[in-house]
Amino acid sequence: MTNEQQEEQWRQDGIRWGIIAGGIVVVLFASVYFFQRELVLSRGLWLSTYAVYIFAMWKSQSKVESEELKSYIQPGFMVFVVANALFYFYYHLLFAVFDPELVKLQGELMAAQGYDPKDAVMPTAGGSFFAYAQSLIPGFLLATAIGFILSRRR
């Protein structure tokens, strides 16, 4: 396989698994929202999405046939970029368009835990994008860790 073919393959795998993972996470959050909407604010639910991301990243990275760590990182990070873009788009729509009352609920839950309820703010498009951009840092670290593990197994 030529370098161009390998590059195209990892992009396709990354996008495909990213769409799958992002779709699963959006369906998960939508299901939880309709079941018990305050759980959408749960840190545990947010952290559980990493299990979906790790699985999808592993699947895309396990097809790599290279000696270079970079070749392993690229498809996994692509998965995270696409999946989290889908999630943050949903997140923004949920809080800013479909149910702005979630911000009020978040403020009430924060006050019950001793935090300042004024810290619960309506997400803006810029704020959601900034949160997405910040999320890419742990996504890259995760892709690197999985890539390192898989590259050592060959």
Side-chain angles (χ1 to χ4, degrees), residues 13-27 52-53 55-56 79 82-83 86:
D13 286 343
I15 291 170
R16 180 177 57 249
W17 282 104
I19 291 170
I20 291 168
I24 290 170
V25 168
V26 167
V27 167
V52 176
Y53 294 152
F55 174 76
V79 168
V82 171
L86 291 173

Side-chain angles (χ1 to χ4, degrees), residues 67-87:
E67 301 288 323
E68 294 182 48
L69 180 59
K70 174 183 142 183
S71 299
Y72 285 88
I73 295 171
Q74 290 171 327
F77 187 56
M78 177 67 79
V79 168
F80 195 86
V81 167
V82 171
N84 240 18
L86 291 173
F87 168 72

